[in-house]
Amino acid sequence: MSDIKRQHPLMIIMEAVRSFVYMLPPVFLFLLSISEDIELSAVLSYIWILVIPAVAFFALSTLRWYLYTYSYEEGYLHIKRGLVFKKERSLKKERVQTVNIRTGLLQRLLDVATVRIETAGGGMESEVILKAVKMEEAQRIRSYLESGPKSKSYTTDEESTKTTSGTGSEHDTEYGITASYVLPMREIFLAGATSGRFMLLFSFIAAAFSQFYPYIPEYITDLLIEQLIPESSTDILLVVIILLSLLILSWLVSVLAYMVKYANFTIHRQHEYLKISWGLIEQKEFTLKINRIQALSIQEGLFRQPFGLCAINSEVAGGGLRDQEYVTIICPLLHKRELATFLEQILPEYKIPASMTSVPRRARKRYLFRTVGIAIIIILPLQLLPYGWMALFLLLPAFILGLSRYRAGATSIDDKQLTFRFRNINRYIVLMMKNHIQSLESGSNPFQRRSDLSNISTSVLSSPSGKTFHVDNVDDREAKKIWKWFSGN
């Protein structure tokens, strides 16, 4: 067995600060509730009492750090922790699915990282979390847990230093990088500009502005109104200018946040592994076994489809709920013309079909009925309200959505892969290997049977629960063809 190891002392500060922050909201609410009965000076005189729990949290965190130890022994990672209730865990490295490494700004300054270890059948949380270890140690842990069966014991610090001081890490040396893709900053900016996330941010900024607007000095608002709005204009122009300003601000902030989050996005294919890293302030890095990928989802957003852009995500078996972001993103932005080449280099197991079988023409009325019918149900009650007639404008986007869903619906099968294409709001192309499909279902209602149509759906393993994909109103002959392909009869 290797020497017993402990995490970096930064864990003490991280745990103490987190515990102290959790204590602040109830203390703040308590002080707020008694503020009317006690003068502010009296309250401030008791603030020093916060020092007592702060010291207690620091002492407790120190004790936790000292009692949390780990070691390695021929294919196992041993964890010991606990003060009152002691726990010991032995993790077999064959069960390890991914080892994720994350570094925040403060951690990078101190050259430490957080290591999250996911295993087969992982639950809501990561199986093991080492909150603060030296970066060199984090790389050694990952290399050990993801190494082949020949690596029976953990390398010493000296041996690992020799390995990592060369052209690549131990992990890279053992598996070898067969293909790489680096997302340029220009593409990351384009991804942020077309992500559509600014609409959610806009609602938050607009809500915040409505709360702070009464506190803006009148001379500032009067000056802005005089400079921007002619005297002959109505108040509607002021509202339009405010909304446009907030919308532009939301877009700029969302683009900047996206660029900071996905800066330096890099993906490496290393035989049976994918190694993906990104981030400017908080750097994230994880490795993903190819056999964990149950399906690839190519998403074309509303703002991206006109420019021929898409994003690639994956459905992955196993892992904790909080770590799904680490194991779902394959590429945040890609030109569709580069999609086939990207898959050929990074994920040659999956292929974009040369042609797909679209849903038949007789299915169009069913797609239109579903979207336009729902719009009519919403519009009719609104006619009783003032300006309810404006809801009639919903009919056109509902018609366009139904027509787009009809044109998107398609399926394709080959020897090993089933491909679905469909649209909710965004358009999706889903690639599924036959041996990863858990179940396939085909069904129809009486109205569909009159037109020889069927709905077909598939289910694959995905954390934290399964994932289902479906294409509606497929021709019966195509549905039977897919069923025969899946059942093997």
Side-chain angles (χ1 to χ4, degrees), residues 11-296:
M11 174 188 171
I12 301 174
I13 300 176
M14 294 172 62
E15 287 289 312
V17 170
R18 187 180 67 171
S19 301
F20 188 77
V21 169
Y22 285 163
M23 186 196 68
L24 289 180
V27 171
F28 175 77
L29 292 176
F30 171 73
L31 294 177
L32 194 64
S33 64
I34 66 173
S35 59
E36 297 181 357
D37 302 326
I38 302 178
E39 294 182 0
L40 182 61
S41 58
V43 173
L44 293 177
S45 64
Y46 290 97
I47 291 295
W48 63 270
I49 297 178
L50 294 176
V51 175
I52 297 177
V55 173
F57 289 145
F58 185 82
L60 184 61
S61 298
T62 303
L63 199 55
R64 286 176 178 172
W65 167 80
Y66 182 79
L67 295 175
Y68 194 114
T69 61
Y70 61 97
S71 58
Y72 327 87
E73 181 185 20
E74 295 195 351
Y76 285 89
L77 172 64
H78 301 287
I79 304 289
K80 292 183 180 181
R81 61 188 176 90
L83 175 60
V84 179
F85 301 98
K86 294 184 177 295
K87 296 182 180 180
E88 293 188 25
R89 167 177 258 170
S90 293
L91 194 65
K92 197 172 183 178
K93 75 175 185 177
E94 282 79 5
R95 291 187 64 239
V96 173
Q97 297 289 337
T98 58
V99 181
N100 306 328
I101 298 177
R102 183 178 66 183
T103 56
L105 184 59
L106 177 60
Q107 289 175 308
R108 287 208 306 278
L109 293 175
L110 298 175
D111 194 32
V112 300
T114 297
V115 179
R116 292 175 176 266
I117 303 171
E118 301 288 347
T119 62
M124 300 289 284
E125 297 284 349
S126 300
E127 193 85 3
V128 174
I129 302 178
L130 301 176
K131 298 180 180 179
V133 295
K134 294 291 290 183
M135 179 59 72
E136 184 180 350
E137 172 75 359
Q139 297 290 350
R140 288 200 299 267
I141 292 173
R142 185 177 66 181
S143 298
Y144 171 74
L145 293 177
E146 294 180 350
S147 60
K150 292 182 180 180
S151 181
K152 293 296 184 182
S153 61
Y154 186 73
T155 57
T156 63
D157 292 355
E158 188 175 315
E159 291 171 341
S160 180
T161 302
K162 292 179 181 178
T163 304
T164 56
S165 63
T167 58
S169 67
E170 179 182 341
H171 189 271
D172 294 345
T173 302
E174 179 174 354
Y175 292 109
I177 296 176
T178 58
S180 299
Y181 180 81
V182 180
L183 193 62
M185 205 62 185
R186 175 179 57 85
E187 301 294 325
I188 297 176
F189 167 79
L190 190 58
T194 57
S195 65
R197 297 184 179 184
F198 69 94
M199 295 303 297
L200 180 62
L201 184 61
F202 169 73
S203 61
F204 284 109
I205 292 180
F209 179 79
S210 65
Q211 297 297 318
F212 288 101
Y213 180 77
Y215 300 99
I216 300 177
E218 288 189 12
Y219 72 90
I220 295 180
T221 57
D222 292 341
L223 178 62
L224 292 175
I225 291 174
E226 290 177 2
Q227 296 294 326
L228 298 177
I229 303 176
E231 296 182 0
S232 58
S233 301
T234 62
D235 292 338
I236 296 179
L237 185 57
L238 175 61
V239 175
V240 171
I241 291 177
I242 292 176
L243 290 177
L244 286 177
S245 300
L246 294 178
L247 193 64
I248 294 173
L249 177 62
S250 303
W251 181 80
L252 291 174
V253 172
S254 66
V255 171
L256 180 61
Y258 197 97
M259 294 178 68
V260 170
K261 180 178 181 179
Y262 289 106
N264 305 316
F265 186 93
T266 306
I267 180 169
H268 299 295
R269 175 64 187 261
Q270 300 174 205
H271 293 287
E272 72 269 27
Y273 284 91
L274 285 182
K275 179 180 177 182
I276 307 176
S277 61
W278 72 87
L280 184 61
I281 296 178
E282 183 181 30
Q283 293 182 345
K284 301 175 182 179
E285 180 180 317
F286 75 93
T287 53
L288 172 65
K289 286 184 178 180
I290 299 298
N291 59 10
R292 287 188 63 198
I293 299 177
Q294 304 298 297
L296 283 186

Side-chain angles (χ1 to χ4, degrees), residues 2 227 450 475:
S2 71
Q227 296 294 326
R450 289 178 57 186
D475 187 275

Side-chain angles (χ1 to χ4, degrees), residues 260-486:
V260 170
K261 180 178 181 179
Y262 289 106
N264 305 316
F265 186 93
T266 306
I267 180 169
H268 299 295
R269 175 64 187 261
Q270 300 174 205
H271 293 287
E272 72 269 27
Y273 284 91
L274 285 182
K275 179 180 177 182
I276 307 176
S277 61
W278 72 87
L280 184 61
I281 296 178
E282 183 181 30
Q283 293 182 345
K284 301 175 182 179
E285 180 180 317
F286 75 93
T287 53
L288 172 65
K289 286 184 178 180
I290 299 298
N291 59 10
R292 287 188 63 198
I293 299 177
Q294 304 298 297
L296 283 186
S297 176
I298 301 165
Q299 178 182 345
E300 301 174 65
L302 286 178
F303 297 103
R304 292 177 176 176
Q305 191 175 346
F307 301 99
L309 304 173
C310 63
I312 306 177
N313 297 319
S314 64
E315 298 297 333
V316 177
L321 177 61
R322 291 190 177 183
D323 298 309
Q324 282 308 291
E325 181 190 21
Y326 290 89
V327 294
T328 56
I329 185 168
I330 300 297
C331 186
L333 186 80
L334 196 68
H335 290 273
K336 287 194 67 178
R337 64 177 181 269
E338 301 173 351
L339 184 57
T341 304
F342 177 87
L343 292 179
E344 183 179 353
Q345 295 178 352
I346 304 298
L347 287 166
E349 296 83 357
Y350 296 87
K351 294 178 174 60
I352 299 296
S355 61
M356 301 186 69
T357 304
S358 301
V359 297
R361 187 181 183 89
R362 59 184 181 276
R364 180 171 58 182
K365 60 183 179 181
R366 298 194 57 81
Y367 281 94
L368 293 175
F369 176 78
R370 182 172 296 181
T371 55
V372 175
I374 293 176
I376 291 175
I377 293 174
I378 296 174
I379 289 171
L380 288 179
L382 294 177
Q383 301 308 302
L384 303 176
L385 301 176
Y387 302 101
W389 59 270
M390 298 182 67
L392 294 172
F393 290 109
L394 292 175
L395 288 174
L396 180 59
F399 177 84
I400 295 175
L401 178 60
L403 190 61
S404 299
R405 287 181 173 177
Y406 158 70
R407 292 175 175 174
T411 60
S412 174
I413 54 174
D414 61 18
D415 184 38
K416 297 181 179 180
Q417 179 181 296
L418 172 63
T419 305
F420 280 178
R421 188 179 69 199
F422 58 90
R423 178 185 291 276
N424 295 325
I425 298 298
N426 301 324
R427 190 169 75 170
Y428 295 88
I429 300 176
V430 180
L431 313 177
M432 297 165 282
M433 303 301 291
K434 182 178 180 179
N435 60 338
H436 290 158
I437 298 175
Q438 299 297 305
S439 66
L440 186 142
E441 181 178 343
S442 178
S444 60
N445 58 45
F447 298 102
Q448 288 177 308
R449 287 194 289 272
R450 289 178 57 186
S451 302
D452 294 327
L453 299 173
S454 298
N455 300 331
I456 189 163
S457 63
T458 59
S459 297
V460 298
L461 287 176
S462 180
S463 297
S465 59
K467 185 76 172 183
T468 300
F469 305 100
H470 62 89
V471 179
D472 295 335
N473 301 301
V474 176
D475 187 275
D476 268 345
R477 290 172 296 180
E478 181 67 14
K480 291 177 181 177
K481 184 179 176 182
I482 295 174
W483 182 268
K484 183 178 180 181
W485 168 84
F486 180 70

